[in-house]
């Protein structure tokens, strides 16, 4: 793969001073470097394409090379670009390797989107260590390690971390409690990191999607009957009476990550058709 190195822009001595009014010291979406996990399909793919359409340079991370290549190909006509990086973010050394690759390719990191997730259903009494471990490793541990590795680079650029949670985690979710617990844990990390990193000029926000039309159920090998039952339950609990689209979540991610949102941190924005308040 051809390596492209782009020099980092100059930053202020005090990262907290970077605002939307500071001109070139806070770059716009065009030319920003964005790292997105779980970028091969669904919300991750839509988010990668949304950033690329605005001229960003995206490192698309995922376990499977083929979907990542498809994501990159879809962005071929835009001003930005998407570079696939196939890796399992739960493996030892991969969070460090992902950030290292982004910096080696583009010279900087402006936005980290922790999107990758594993859903594993089950009622209390059915769990095993083997069924719980992948959800904890992907949904909680990997974002911690990736963010930790990216922070020094985000500090230099006045960057942003966007965590992808779930609005259902703010309510009871029988038979999916472990998944919901990992996502509510990610929301607590969002709030805590927002306070911890504010003096370093790094913002941390989260987007909490509700019922979104994505292939995640297919990836879990669910039967058509189970998928239909899930969708019916989701629509019944969504006041707007429909499933959301991945692009609608991507819009929220790009807006919260934009320089014009420079005074927004620590928030968890539901994109759920009113499910949380309904």
């Amino acid at each position: 793969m051809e390596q492209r190195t782009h020099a980092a822009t100059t930053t202020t001595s005090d990262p907290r001073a970077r605002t939307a009014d500071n001109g070139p010291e806070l770059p716009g979406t065009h030319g920003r470097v964005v790292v997105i996990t779980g970028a091969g399909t669904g919300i991750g793919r839509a988010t990668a394409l949304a950033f690329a359409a605005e001229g960003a340079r995206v490192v698309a991370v995922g376990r499977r090379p083929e979907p990542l290549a498809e994501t990159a190909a879809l962005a071929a006509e835009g001003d930005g670009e998407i570079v696939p990086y196939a890796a399992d973010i739960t493996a030892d050394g991969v969070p460090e390797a992902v950030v290292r690759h982004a910096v080696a390719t583009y010279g900087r990191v402006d936005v980290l989107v922790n999107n990758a997730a594993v859903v594993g259903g089950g009622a209390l009494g059915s769990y095993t260590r083997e069924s719980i471990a992948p959800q904890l490793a992907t949904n909680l541990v990997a974002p911690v390690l990736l963010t930790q590795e990216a922070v020094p680079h985000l500090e230099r650029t006045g960057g942003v971390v966007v965590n992808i949670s779930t609005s259902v985690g703010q309510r009871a979710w029988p038979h999916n409690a472990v998944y919901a617990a990992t996502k509510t844990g990610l929301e607590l990390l969002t709030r805590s990191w927002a306070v911890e990193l504010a003096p370093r000029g790094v913002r941390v926000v989260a987007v909490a999607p509700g019922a979104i039309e994505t292939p995640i159920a297919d990836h879990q090998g669910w039967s058509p009957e189970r998928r239909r039952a899930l969708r019916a339950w989701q629509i019944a609990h969504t006041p707007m009476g429909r499933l959301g689209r991945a692009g609608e979540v991507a819009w929220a991610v790009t807006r919260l990550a934009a320089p014009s949102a420079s005074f927004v941190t620590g928030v968890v924005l539901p994109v759920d058709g009113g499910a949380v308040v309904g």
Side-chain angles (χ1 to χ4, degrees):
M1 181 183 299
E2 178 186 357
Q3 296 291 305
R4 291 175 290 272
T5 302
H6 300 258
T9 59
T10 304
T11 57
T12 62
S13 58
D14 182 357
R16 292 171 296 181
R18 301 183 196 118
T19 71
D21 296 326
N22 280 1
E25 294 188 2
L26 186 59
T29 299
H30 196 282
R32 297 178 92 195
V33 178
V34 183
V35 176
I36 304 174
T37 65
T41 61
I43 291 170
R45 171 178 286 184
T47 301
L49 293 173
F51 274 113
E54 295 181 354
R57 308 178 191 279
V58 180
V59 177
V61 183
R63 290 178 297 173
R64 298 178 296 151
E66 294 81 7
L68 292 175
E70 293 172 4
T71 299
L74 289 170
E77 301 299 322
D79 292 335
E81 63 183 6
I82 297 177
V83 174
Y85 188 84
D88 180 353
I89 59 170
T90 68
D92 289 343
V94 170
E96 296 88 342
V98 167
V99 175
R100 189 165 55 245
H101 177 75
V103 174
T105 304
Y106 293 121
R108 60 187 295 141
V109 177
D110 296 281
V111 182
L112 169 64
V113 181
N114 288 309
N115 167 72
V118 171
V119 179
L124 190 62
S126 68
Y127 291 117
T128 64
R129 289 184 183 274
E130 291 73 22
S131 68
I132 294 172
Q135 297 180 79
L136 294 176
T138 305
N139 305 354
L140 205 54
V141 176
V144 171
L145 297 179
L146 269 166
T147 302
Q148 180 173 269
E149 194 65 26
V151 160
H153 304 282
L154 295 170
E155 183 176 6
R156 283 192 282 273
T157 61
V160 188
V161 178
V162 184
N163 295 320
I164 306 300
S165 180
T166 174
S167 70
V168 185
Q170 300 179 36
R171 305 173 62 173
W173 195 359
H175 306 289
N176 277 288
V178 169
Y179 171 75
T182 63
K183 290 301 191 176
T184 52
L186 192 59
E187 291 183 10
L188 180 58
L189 290 173
T190 298
R191 291 186 285 269
S192 299
W193 290 343
V195 175
E196 185 176 340
L197 297 177
R200 299 171 67 177
V202 177
R203 297 191 296 115
V204 187
V205 295
V207 173
I212 307 297
E213 187 64 66
T214 72
I216 192 167
D218 297 335
H219 296 166
Q220 300 303 312
W222 290 2
S223 67
E225 294 77 14
R226 185 177 180 185
R227 290 198 297 271
R228 283 194 293 270
L230 173 64
R231 291 314 191 201
W233 181 87
Q234 290 174 320
I235 291 172
H237 289 80
T238 301
M240 291 187 72
R242 67 170 176 89
L243 300 181
R245 296 180 292 274
E248 293 174 309
V249 181
W251 174 87
V253 175
T254 58
R255 293 311 88 207
L256 283 176
S260 56
S262 57
F263 203 52
V264 179
T265 195
V267 302
V268 179
L269 176 65
V271 182
D272 64 359
V276 168
V277 296

